[in-house]
Amino acid sequence: MIEQSNYSIEPWCLRETRLDCDLLAQSESLFSLSNGHIGWRGNLDEGDPHGLSGSYLNGVYENRPLPYAEAGYGYPVSDEVVINVTNGKLIRLLVDDEPFDVRYGELTAHERLLDFRAGVLHREVEWTSPSERKIRVTSTRLVSLVQRSVAAIHYEVEAIDQTVRLVVQSELVANETPPPSSGDPRVSAVLDSPWLSRSYSSDGTLAGLIHRTTYSKLRVAAAMDHVVEGPESTQVSAESFPDLGRVTITVTLEPGERLRLVKYVTYGWSAQRSKEALRDQVDAALTVARQTGWDGLLAEQREYLDDFWSRADVEIDGDEEIQQAVRFALFHVLQSSARSERRAIAAKGLTGTGYAGHAFWDSEAYVLAVLSYTVPEVVAHALEWRHDALPLALERAEQLGLKGAAFPWRTITGAECSAYWPAGTAAFHVGADVANAVIRYVHATGDVSFEDKYGHKLLVQTARLWRSLGHYDVHGGFRIDGVTGPDEYSAIADNNVYTNLMAQQNLRAAADIAERYPERSRQQAVDDDEIAAWREAADTMVIPFDDTLGVHAQSESFTNHQLWDFASTGPDKYPLLLHFPYFDLYRKQVVKQADLVLAMYLRNDAFSAEQKRANFDYYERLTVRDSSLSACIQAVMAAEVGYLALAYDYLAEAALMDLGDLEHNTADGLHVASLAGTWIALVAGFGGLRERKDSLGFSPRLPEGITRLAFGVVFRGRRLRVETTPAATTYRLIEGDALELFHFNESITLSTKEPVVCLRSADETSTSPATVPSQPAGRAPVHREPTAARNLEAST
């Protein structure tokens, strides 16, 4: 676990006040910089010590075979694994021949600061070498959100009280030694030495390397250039080898003198272009970066983030730790996606090798949900990646004997990479999650061009899958049998409610879009009979309900299963998947993550208020939250049904998932969906944001401990600001045409002329139900006391 005393609580940054070498891997994830194309883990500049050295390019992977003890038809034959690309972060320093290493000599000061507004990682160190030479090192690292292929480092060394002879080695390094592999299936198997050298060069202050993977046949080029400022005696030389490019700077500094270095690094990759074309690409990007200059890169970064925060910022009064956490979360969600541009948004973003760098359905269900209302143009690119991957999804469906598109459970390129078919192949809900993201994006933006060009085909091909996968029973109900819903502890189930309701939405949306775009439909061979079949399947969809218990069964007969023995399951047995066979989990009532509860959020229209309360109460007792995807959704629905204190507890769990390393795997990368879930818990939970036909609705409710919540929403070219307190909610239209919104069920019209203030009614301020549902033994979220109570507890 990460000691919170290592980090100060500040509203606009994450500041590390004490270096703990035992927690380097976790801090490297927290301090990662990315733009969705390039990812740099927050390793120390000098490279050693490190937990997991990481430099990544979105879409760069290596293949590895998937061995099976018993082969089966339709099993994926190979996996795609994210790999460490050329490391351009390294700046090694020798002080009178002694390497600067925080493990030796005396580290008298060390601070790192991730600045959410400037978009940089800043570090300041004071170190005394074993031979008593004192220096100060400051560095600022940036991965450009504006210039997609560019990263840069500003590095300074100052002699404090004696003359020192310095050697600075700025490097590009390929095929770094990976860490030992882990037995946790959530952690990737990192491949040894995946790169074959194809070219290397150096000249003056420049160096470049080009490599190719052995199996995936991808080429990657990396180049670096430098601007060096120091005393007249400063000397610079460059050299290169197959896996190393190095620029060496030698200088003697008198006390108070500084050596200043700006390092520009550029990357490019391709499966098709020649090494010469890649070389020219990174060289051109390097030229633009140098022309922009360090100050120019900083100014571009700040301008980009100022615009982002003006749209997306969430303000909280009453809980400083959650305030910091939500901005940390939004910053990393943006970093994971800003320049991904028709590439996947991985579960760990570009912050580590967890989950082998794969993207899952939570990109569409969680991450794109946030981006649709903050940075919608990024969502279009992400969904265009799914559109580009349609040929593989169509091929996969055909292989499975189905029509339409079967999107993969986990992937980098769009090919299925899951070797475990009950969780992989059977999780057909991924198609409905993609469709839901299309529906949400079009609703949020009104982007009819995207709807026509991309959305139409995505909705049609996913609808065809459902019509092919399901069948009618003797009662005329449309059934979808033998599937795995979001809850991975309940595989190969009949009529999973989440899957069926999301498929129902998918079918209706496909029928609507097919009728709106008849020419595009003719191109896709959609006729009136197929549209009618989609509507009929949607209208007759089987949605299991247990009349005896008065709740929806998560899937057919689920509520008849034996209850898991929670009382006999000790805290050391979680997560259950690492301690019990799936066979036992599948036949018991135990829920890994929000499933039916997620359906109540995403298909809010399909449940009555009474059903929501009953369902939430029932499944709260069964949900163990062995997934980071669960807490934020439980927060949303707990808030809606009136359990505000419990919702607050779940908000804190989602928000602190990585800052507190609650799942003990932050070391291999951040949980991007849980980070997105922090926004979801606040805006959809306590802000009550829900989509309404051609509009938005809000039902704000605040827990004790949060005295004010304000957040921005982008909707159809407009910028809104919603501010809620225990007394009133204020709606402001910052930019755009007048808009009708809903405050609870009251229609209000916003214009830029003046805000609309809705006073809190007695119904809206009603207290939580007297009886709050319990959780499985030992799995209740940590109770979140209001700030005043936490401060009192800390002082005593």
Side-chain angles (χ1 to χ4, degrees), residues 194-247:
W195 295 106
L196 303 174
S197 176
R198 285 294 174 262
S199 176
Y200 53 93
S201 61
S202 57
D203 182 28
T205 58
L206 296 99
L209 301 176
I210 301 177
H211 286 79
R212 196 205 72 188
T213 56
T214 302
Y215 302 106
S216 60
K217 308 297 183 185
L218 303 181
R219 290 189 180 92
V220 168
M224 65 177 179
D225 197 1
H226 303 78
V227 175
V228 181
E229 296 178 9
E232 290 185 7
S233 61
T234 304
Q235 297 180 352
V236 181
S237 62
E239 57 187 337
S240 60
F241 307 93
D243 287 342
L244 172 66
R246 176 187 291 146
V247 171

Side-chain angles (χ1 to χ4, degrees), residues 119-145:
V120 298
L121 175 62
H122 183 74
R123 179 189 182 202
E124 186 163 340
V125 182
E126 291 186 8
W127 180 73
T128 302
S129 71
S131 58
E132 302 296 325
R133 299 294 189 268
K134 296 181 181 180
I135 60 167
R136 178 179 297 111
V137 177
T138 59
S139 70
T140 304
R141 184 183 298 175
L142 172 151
V143 173
S144 178
L145 294 163

Side-chain angles (χ1 to χ4, degrees), residues 34-40 55-61 82-83 85 148 218-220 267-270 335-347 349-351 357-359 363 378 381-382 385 411-413:
S34 172
N35 63 7
H37 174 60
I38 301 169
W40 273 2
S55 302
Y56 313 107
L57 290 176
N58 196 348
V60 172
Y61 68 97
V82 67
I83 50 176
V85 300
R148 183 171 182 256
L218 303 181
R219 290 189 180 92
V220 168
Y267 291 95
W269 75 269
S270 177
Q335 287 201 126
S336 74
S337 57
R339 303 305 304 273
S340 56
E341 295 173 12
R342 302 180 88 122
R343 300 289 173 193
I345 300 172
L350 295 174
T351 66
H358 292 157
S363 290
V378 171
H381 289 305
W385 167 71
T411 189
I412 292 176
T413 66

Side-chain angles (χ1 to χ4, degrees), residues 733-746:
L733 182 60
I734 308 299
E735 178 182 299
D737 297 334
L739 174 68
E740 182 189 30
L741 293 177
F742 291 87
H743 173 77
F744 288 86
N745 289 317
E746 176 189 355

